[in-house]
């Protein structure tokens, strides 16, 4: 088994456990503790906050430490912490444990971002990320059925035990990874300068500033849609949980299809152009759902949204992994994750407020407009760059230089 397949399998097994445990947490809060929507939101915020606050610090240390050992340590800690959920009897306890697990996840993510380019040649990064994205979405589709069967047969606590077991399976696979990482010979810098390096790189390089801005704004717009979709299904479409589940499945299925198409046909495309096209596709899908409040349009828009999300995420991730200097990969990936997590939090908090003034369809239309604007800007920049490159390579330009 190749080193990449070990990393991919470790990630897939761990993700299955995570989604199963998330389902069990929702079951425990809603049915056993009789919690409210704000309790679910509290767990969501507790899971995202470490990425925003701790993520940049974790990225800095991930660049200094051995990434394989960092991932193994993170998985061991998370495997132990998840078992504490079997003893949790209140929502604050679940929030505290979720926060602690996410703290260690903040170290795992940048270490994985450092490792993948060490295992895969640059021209295969897109295909490798596409496979990992497809696996994540397939696991997301399959996990509710697996979790439901476990909960019905044994209760929700068995899901936490299963999640813990997947972390230790991941440890065994990661322990067998072998790769060569070039030594970082740069002299150590003060902590605060190292900490700011990831954000500085993203915001000062025009190529990456557009990518991170697109990811952040796109996450915010998609987050507004995701936060309001359950209420949209209930109050606008007058449907039940089955349609909500179908929407989630079609978004995931669209992402799987988009990942496969992108890895096959778009290896040498300009990432900024791909991001622009993906943003326009997601915006058009959300606008379709807002303009035509019917079940058919909701399902069509969900599939289209999944396709667009796959294009945006994969193009951005491949550019960040492939073009970031190796000594900065941990900090840059953690900084990007912190910004997108902050956008998710902001969308969760603001979407409900905006919906009271604009209506749910109004918020969807506003999200679509934001995505269209970003997509058009990305396509314009890509077109201008292509025109400049053609002019630079033309015979007339070369004669003028001589």
């Amino acid at each position: 088994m190749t080193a990449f397949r070990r990393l991919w399998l470790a990630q897939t097994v761990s993700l299955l456990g995570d989604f199963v445990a998330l389902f069990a947490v929702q079951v425990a809060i809603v049915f056993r503790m009789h919690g409210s929507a704000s309790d679910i939101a509290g767990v969501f915020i507790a899971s995202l906050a470490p990425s925003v606050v701790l993520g940049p610090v974790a990225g800095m240390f991930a660049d200094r430490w051995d990434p394989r050992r960092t991932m193994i340590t993170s998985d061991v800690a998370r495997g132990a912490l998840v078992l504490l959920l079997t003893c949790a009897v209140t929502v604050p306890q679940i929030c505290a444990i979720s926060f602690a697990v996410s703290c260690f996840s903040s170290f795992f993510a940048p270490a994985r971002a450092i490792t993948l380019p060490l295992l895969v040649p640059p021209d295969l990064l897109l295909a490798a990320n596409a496979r990992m994205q497809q696996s994540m979405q397939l696991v997301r589709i399959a996990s509710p059925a697996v979790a439901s069967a476990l909960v019905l047969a044994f209760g929700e606590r068995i899901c936490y035990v299963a999640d813990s077991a997947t972390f230790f399976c991941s440890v065994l696979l990661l322990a067998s990874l072998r790769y060569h990482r070039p030594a970082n010979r740069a002299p150590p810098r003060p902590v605060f300068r190292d900490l700011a390096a990831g954000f500085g790189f993203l915001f000062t390089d025009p190529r990456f500033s557009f990518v991170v801005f697109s990811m952040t704004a796109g996450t915010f717009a998609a987050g507004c849609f995701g936060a309001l979709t359950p209420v949209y299904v209930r109050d606008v479409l007058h449907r039940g949980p089955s349609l909500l589940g179908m929407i989630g499945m079609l978004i995931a299925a669209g992402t799987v299809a988009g990942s496969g198409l992108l890895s096959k046909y778009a290896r040498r495309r300009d990432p900024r152009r791909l991001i622009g096209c993906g943003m326009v596709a997601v915006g058009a899908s959300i606008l379709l759902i807002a303009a035509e409040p019917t079940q058919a349009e909701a399902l069509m828009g969900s599939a289209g949204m999944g396709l667009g999300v796959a294009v945006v995420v994969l193009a951005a991730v491949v550019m960040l992994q492939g073009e970031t200097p190796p000594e900065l990969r941990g900090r840059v990936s953690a900084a990007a994750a912190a910004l997108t997590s902050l956008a998710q939090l902001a969308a969760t908090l603001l979407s409900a407020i905006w919906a009271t003034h604009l209506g749910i369809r109004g918020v969807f239309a506003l999200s679509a407009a934001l995505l269209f604007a970003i997509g058009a800007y990305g396509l314009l920049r890509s077109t201008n760059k292509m025109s400049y490159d053609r002019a630079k390579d033309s015979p007339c330009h070369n004669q003028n230089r001589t």
Side-chain angles (χ1 to χ4, degrees):
M1 186 185 296
T2 63
F4 167 72
R5 288 186 177 179
R6 290 188 179 96
L7 179 64
W8 165 73
L9 186 58
Q11 178 73 1
T12 302
V13 169
S14 181
L15 280 173
L16 177 61
D18 290 345
F19 283 124
V20 166
L22 177 62
F23 182 89
V25 164
Q26 294 173 336
V27 169
I29 292 176
V30 174
F31 296 103
R32 181 160 59 85
M33 302 177 187
H34 305 288
S36 62
S38 61
D39 293 325
I40 297 290
V43 174
F44 178 73
I45 292 171
S47 299
L48 278 179
S51 179
V52 177
V53 179
L54 184 61
V57 179
M60 178 188 68
F61 285 110
D63 278 326
R64 298 181 178 187
W65 297 340
D66 177 69
R68 182 174 64 92
R69 292 179 181 176
T70 303
M71 290 189 291
I72 290 173
T73 303
S74 174
D75 273 348
V76 169
R78 291 187 293 176
L81 286 168
V82 163
L83 287 176
L84 296 178
L85 287 171
T86 60
C87 306
V89 294
T90 65
V91 173
Q93 289 175 346
I94 292 178
C95 288
I97 296 168
S98 299
F99 181 86
V101 170
S102 294
C103 285
F104 285 96
S105 298
S106 298
F107 287 87
F108 185 94
R112 183 189 61 204
I114 294 169
T115 303
L116 186 57
L118 300 176
L119 306 179
V120 178
D123 60 328
L124 294 180
L125 265 180
L126 180 60
N129 279 284
R131 177 176 289 189
M132 298 189 85
Q133 180 72 19
Q134 287 175 317
S135 299
M136 184 181 73
Q137 298 302 330
L138 289 171
V139 164
R140 179 171 286 176
I141 293 172
S143 59
V146 175
S148 297
L150 288 174
V151 169
L152 288 174
F154 306 104
E156 79 271 3
R157 288 183 172 87
I158 193 65
C159 295
Y160 308 139
V161 177
D163 189 22
S164 177
T166 63
F167 281 122
F168 289 104
C169 287
S170 175
V171 167
L172 294 176
L173 289 165
L174 293 174
S176 64
L177 286 182
R178 296 293 181 268
Y179 53 80
H180 171 68
R181 186 187 185 193
N184 183 8
R185 302 186 183 280
R189 301 191 300 175
V191 170
F192 287 107
R193 286 189 62 189
D194 250 5
L195 192 59
F199 289 103
F201 179 80
L202 288 175
F203 291 134
T204 56
D205 189 309
R207 299 169 302 163
F208 291 92
S209 60
F210 167 71
V211 170
V212 74
F213 173 73
S214 299
M215 288 179 65
T216 303
T219 300
F220 177 80
C224 290
F225 173 81
L228 295 176
T229 298
V231 185
Y232 174 80
V233 170
R234 185 191 66 191
D235 296 348
V236 178
L237 299 181
H238 306 292
R239 301 286 181 174
S242 60
L243 179 59
L244 183 61
M246 290 176 66
I247 287 174
M249 289 179 64
L250 280 173
I251 292 175
T255 306
V256 171
S259 300
L261 291 172
L262 199 66
S263 65
K264 188 173 183 180
Y265 297 110
R267 289 187 181 181
R268 291 177 175 83
R269 302 286 183 179
D270 182 0
R272 286 173 295 187
R273 189 170 187 81
L274 290 174
I275 290 171
C277 291
M279 288 287 186
V280 170
V282 177
S285 301
I286 294 178
L287 186 61
L288 174 65
I289 295 171
E292 296 291 337
T294 65
Q295 178 173 328
E297 273 66 25
L299 296 176
M300 289 174 57
S302 299
M305 186 176 176
L307 283 167
V309 166
V311 174
V312 173
V313 170
L314 285 176
V317 168
V318 168
M319 187 171 177
L320 289 175
Q321 289 179 350
E323 300 188 30
T324 301
E327 67 274 10
L328 285 175
R329 279 182 184 142
R331 280 162 287 178
V332 168
S333 66
L339 292 170
T340 53
S341 295
L342 184 61
Q344 277 188 291
L345 284 173
T348 302
L349 297 174
L350 293 176
S351 58
I353 298 173
W354 289 353
T356 60
H357 298 285
L358 302 174
I360 294 175
R361 293 171 66 189
V363 175
F364 285 179
L366 184 63
S367 300
L370 175 62
L371 291 165
F372 278 130
I374 299 169
Y377 177 68
L379 291 172
L380 181 63
R381 285 192 57 169
S382 175
T383 302
N384 290 341
K385 180 180 180 298
M386 290 171 64
S387 300
Y388 173 76
D389 290 342
R390 282 196 295 266
K392 186 175 66 173
D393 295 335
S394 66
C396 294
H397 180 85
N398 293 331
Q399 288 175 5
N400 292 336
R401 290 182 60 186
T402 57

